[in-house]
């Protein structure tokens, strides 16, 4: 079940948990044996602490949900001093999702994280739709992404995964720019910008009006984008967006993903991540694949 | 330790706007504290995607039963409240921190509004076990909102307000005459936010210790998604993990 994503990031199996849906892993240890996962990607972290957006931050939608948490976190320094010592010995890959609002923030944050032995990779978040400068400004243009990825690349020696925004006209172009700037892999998709309205009170359901859509409803969009990006780039693609079971995960692999992330489904079944890993293995056995990596991009189309 | 467990509905009582569900597990229950809640999966409701957080109303360790009082608010809770005996339902529990128990000899007031009376029942049972007999001030729009009143009366001194005057004193819980002639050492509140804020103001004026149980919109229930935050003196904190019970001094009300 092993997956090698390059530059030292080797996963026990293709299943990771998506940033912002799994806390720091600690929240789920009553439900999941973390050693049965390929990795966990911890909550989006910025150089300086952020209080995030006001409540309400969540609205349920058909087969999904909107959130506008707005990158609430205690900053990279707090992560290093307080959280990292608690989670560094988890028997899985612990990736940190790094966000920022300026180029300097990204670079400084990456330098600090580079010093942490047990963090084998950064997932660079250039696609948070919920804060004015949540990085999405970088993630929606080829010049923006080239700039932030190449600057971070200069200071960060380990595996650099870049998380792409779906809120663009041509995601393959953005992925190619990330690859050219030195990304080791790309993960996609982050949430789709959306909105929900309470008609009875004629008010938005979210405090900042718009938010990021996730859950089963986004899966067809995510699959399509993984397909387009995997055809365009040579670096590994990590697929996410609405994966709720092992068959969903297999579909992302067939579309070209080398690994996958489980996000919102963790809220519905806190043990879903390990169930997906088991189910993918069962799929491989049932279809005679020796290695799960054989599934990548073999869609018969 | 938190767990995700399948239960079978073994008793279902429909009260019209709410229902009582007695749920049975095959396995022994973990310790559940008053004020903790369960995040309940809703199967068979196509428009419902996320779990619904529901407070624990009663626990029977001998038969591995958890009882919930579910108010029919939207499609999800309507589906839950409409469950029949024999149906399966999955609970992630016990979640949150729960109420702080009072000390021996303290005079305790529990204030519940609408379905907010649900967790106070389990709290009152625990107080009885500790030898305390609480005063329960329960408010509803009409007398039909005050479920299981005769059972609450077994646990303490029950006072009632209804907005239409159909039972007890007419008006909101904050207008009840008990506030003028009785003093309390600790006040516990659960109900609609405006009602809890009004009681919190009263408690603050009287300088009485007071805890409230919040029910912000939630997704994960585990402190991971940061959707259900309340603004406190310590910043945004998760109601699902650090609450749902908060001392009013911690809130920016």
């Amino acid at each position: 079940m092993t997956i090698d994503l390059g530059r030292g990031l080797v996963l026990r199996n293709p299943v990771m948990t998506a940033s912002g849906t799994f806390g720091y892993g600690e929240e789920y240890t009553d439900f999941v044996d973390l050693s049965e996962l390929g990795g966990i990607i911890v909550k989006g972290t910025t150089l300086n602490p952020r209080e995030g957006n006001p409540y309400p931050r969540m609205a349920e939608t058909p087969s999904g949900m909107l959130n506008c948490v707005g990158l609430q976190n205690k900053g990279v320094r707090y992560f290093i001093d307080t959280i990292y010592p608690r989670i560094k010995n988890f028997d899985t890959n612990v990736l940190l999702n790094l966000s920022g609002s300026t180029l300097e923030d990204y670079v400084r944050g990456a330098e600090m994280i580079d010093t942490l032995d047990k963090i084998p990779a950064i997932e660079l978040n250039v696609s948070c739709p919920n804060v004015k400068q949540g990085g999405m400004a970088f993630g929606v243009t080829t010049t923006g992404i080239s700039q932030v990825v190449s600057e971070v690349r200069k200071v960060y020696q380990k595996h650099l995964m870049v998380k792409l925004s779906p809120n663009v006209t041509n995601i393959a172009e953005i992925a190619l720019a990330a690859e050219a700037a030195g990304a080791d892999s790309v993960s996609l998709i982050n949430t789709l910008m959306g909105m929900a309205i309470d008609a009875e009170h004629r008010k938005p359901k979210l405090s900042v009006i718009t938010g990021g859509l996730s859950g089963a409803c986004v899966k067809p969009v995510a699959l399509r984008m993984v397909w387009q990006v995997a055809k365009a780039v040579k670096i590994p693609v990590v697929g996410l967006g609405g994966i709720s079971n092992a068959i969903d995960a297999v579909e992302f692999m067939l579309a070209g993903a080398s690994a996958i992330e489980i996000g919102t489904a963790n809220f519905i079944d806190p043990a879903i991540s390990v169930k997906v890993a088991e189910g993918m293995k069962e799929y491989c056995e049932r279809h005679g694949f020796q290695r799960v990596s054989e599934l990548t991009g073999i869609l018969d189309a | 330790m938190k767990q995700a467990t399948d239960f079978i509905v073994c008793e279902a009582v429909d009260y019209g706007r709410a229902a009582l569900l007695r749920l049975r597990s095959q396995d022994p229950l973990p310790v559940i504290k008053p004020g903790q809640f369960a995040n309940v999966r809703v199967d068979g409701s196509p428009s419902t995607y996320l779990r619904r957080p529901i407070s624990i109303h009663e626990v029977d360790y001998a038969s591995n039963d958890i009882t919930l009082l579910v108010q029919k608010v939207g499609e999800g809770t309507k589906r839950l409240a409409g469950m029949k005996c024999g149906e399966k339902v999955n609970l992630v529990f016990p979640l949150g921190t729960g109420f702080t128990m009072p000390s021996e000899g303290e005079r305790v007031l529990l204030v519940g509004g609408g379905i907010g009376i649900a967790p106070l029942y389990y709290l009152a049972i625990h107080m009885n076990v500790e030898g305390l007999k609480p005063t329960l001030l329960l408010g509803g729009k009409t007398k039909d909102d005050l479920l299981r009143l005769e059972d609450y009366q077994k646990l303490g001194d029950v006072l009632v307000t209804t907005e239409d005057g159909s039972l007890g004193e007419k008006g909101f819980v904050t207008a009840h005459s008990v506030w003028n002639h009785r003093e309390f050492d600790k006040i516990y509140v659960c109900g609609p936010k405006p009602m809890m804020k009004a009681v919190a103001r009263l408690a603050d004026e009287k300088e009485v210790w007071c805890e409230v149980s919040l029910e912000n919109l939630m997704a994960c229930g585990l402190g991971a998604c940061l959707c259900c935050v309340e603004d406190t003196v310590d910043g945004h904190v998760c109601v699902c993990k650090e609450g749902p019970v908060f001392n009013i001094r911690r809130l920016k009300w």
Side-chain angles (χ1 to χ4, degrees), chain A residues 131-151:
Chain A
V131 296
K132 285 199 181 81
Q133 292 171 308
M136 198 165 92
F138 291 105
V140 294
T141 64
T142 51
T143 47
I145 204 150
S146 296
Q147 199 180 19
V148 69
V149 173
S150 56
E151 290 301 313

Side-chain angles (χ1 to χ4, degrees), chain B residues 208-221:
Chain B
V208 180
W209 183 101
C210 180
E211 279 184 348
V212 295
S213 179
L214 306 184
E215 52 163 10
N216 292 6
L217 282 172
M218 283 176 196
C220 72

Side-chain angles (χ1 to χ4, degrees), chain A residues 200-245:
Chain A
E200 290 303 314
H201 300 94
R202 293 176 290 282
K203 283 178 179 278
K205 287 190 177 178
L206 299 174
S207 63
V208 294
I209 304 175
T210 61
L213 183 66
S214 64
C217 60
V218 309
K219 197 189 87 176
V221 178
L223 262 182
R224 181 265 293 179
M225 290 188 162
V226 165
W227 166 248
Q228 290 176 323
V229 168
K231 280 195 298 182
V233 300
K234 293 184 181 64
I235 52 176
V237 175
V238 177
L240 72 152
I243 297 176
S244 308
N245 54 55

Side-chain angles (χ1 to χ4, degrees), chain A:
Chain A
M1 290 287 276
T2 307
I3 301 288
D4 188 347
L5 292 179
R7 207 186 286 259
L9 182 60
V10 179
L11 313 180
R12 187 176 283 130
N13 64 51
V15 180
M16 296 186 281
T17 55
S19 176
T21 67
F22 210 68
Y24 295 97
E26 298 168 304
E27 292 82 350
Y28 283 83
T29 49
D30 284 350
F31 307 97
V32 171
D33 179 351
L34 298 178
S35 71
E36 293 176 21
L37 295 176
I40 62 172
I41 305 180
V42 303
K43 173 68 191 166
T45 304
T46 49
L47 182 63
N48 297 309
R50 290 183 52 90
E51 269 299 311
N53 289 321
Y55 178 86
R57 294 173 165 187
M58 191 276 286
E60 188 177 44
T61 58
S63 297
M65 60 176 276
L66 288 160
N67 88 81
C68 63
V69 171
L71 287 172
Q72 179 180 332
N73 78 97
K74 293 186 171 174
V76 173
R77 176 45 60 196
Y78 183 90
F79 174 80
I80 292 172
D81 293 342
T82 307
I83 300 168
Y84 176 68
R86 298 201 305 257
I87 66 173
K88 67 177 184 180
N89 290 325
F90 282 162
D91 182 16
T92 192
N93 288 295
V94 178
L95 284 71
L96 186 111
N97 180 287
L98 177 68
S99 196
S101 46
T102 67
L103 206 52
E104 293 71 32
D105 284 0
Y106 277 107
V107 170
R108 183 76 195 107
E111 279 175 341
M112 290 165 75
I113 295 155
D114 195 44
T115 64
L116 305 176
D117 291 343
K118 301 287 178 65
I119 304 283
I122 282 177
E123 182 181 55
L124 201 66
N125 184 354
V126 289
S127 45
C128 178
N130 291 328
V131 296
K132 285 199 181 81
Q133 292 171 308
M136 198 165 92
F138 291 105
V140 294
T141 64
T142 51
T143 47
I145 204 150
S146 296
Q147 199 180 19
V148 69
V149 173
S150 56
E151 290 301 313
V152 169
R153 179 78 284 171
K154 284 179 197 161
V155 300
Y156 190 70
Q157 314 305 320
K158 290 182 269 183
H159 186 101
L160 183 59
M161 184 183 294
V162 179
K163 188 168 185 178
L164 304 180
S165 171
N167 305 304
V168 295
T169 45
N170 186 344
I171 195 165
E173 267 182 13
I174 306 281
L176 281 167
E179 180 180 41
D184 296 306
S185 64
V186 287
S187 57
L188 63 143
I189 59 173
N190 204 322
T191 55
L192 283 150
M193 263 185 97
M195 181 169 168
I197 291 175
D198 174 357
E200 290 303 314
H201 300 94
R202 293 176 290 282
K203 283 178 179 278
K205 287 190 177 178
L206 299 174
S207 63
V208 294
I209 304 175
T210 61
L213 183 66
S214 64
C217 60
V218 309
K219 197 189 87 176
V221 178
L223 262 182
R224 181 265 293 179
M225 290 188 162
V226 165
W227 166 248
Q228 290 176 323
V229 168
K231 280 195 298 182
V233 300
K234 293 184 181 64
I235 52 176
V237 175
V238 177
L240 72 152
I243 297 176
S244 308
N245 54 55
I247 297 303
D248 288 347
V250 167
E251 292 172 16
F252 276 80
M253 300 288 284
L254 298 176
S258 297
I260 60 101
E261 297 178 20
I262 311 267
T264 304
N266 290 307
F267 304 158
I268 293 132
D269 179 354
I272 190 66
S273 50
V274 290
K275 291 176 187 171
V276 168
E278 287 161 14
M280 291 178 84
K281 191 174 172 201
E282 186 273 330
Y283 177 93
C284 288
E285 285 163 3
R286 188 154 51 88
H287 288 273
F289 294 102
Q290 301 292 312
R291 280 183 289 275
V292 70
S293 57
E294 291 171 40
L295 297 176
T296 299
I298 59 162
L299 184 71
D300 183 11

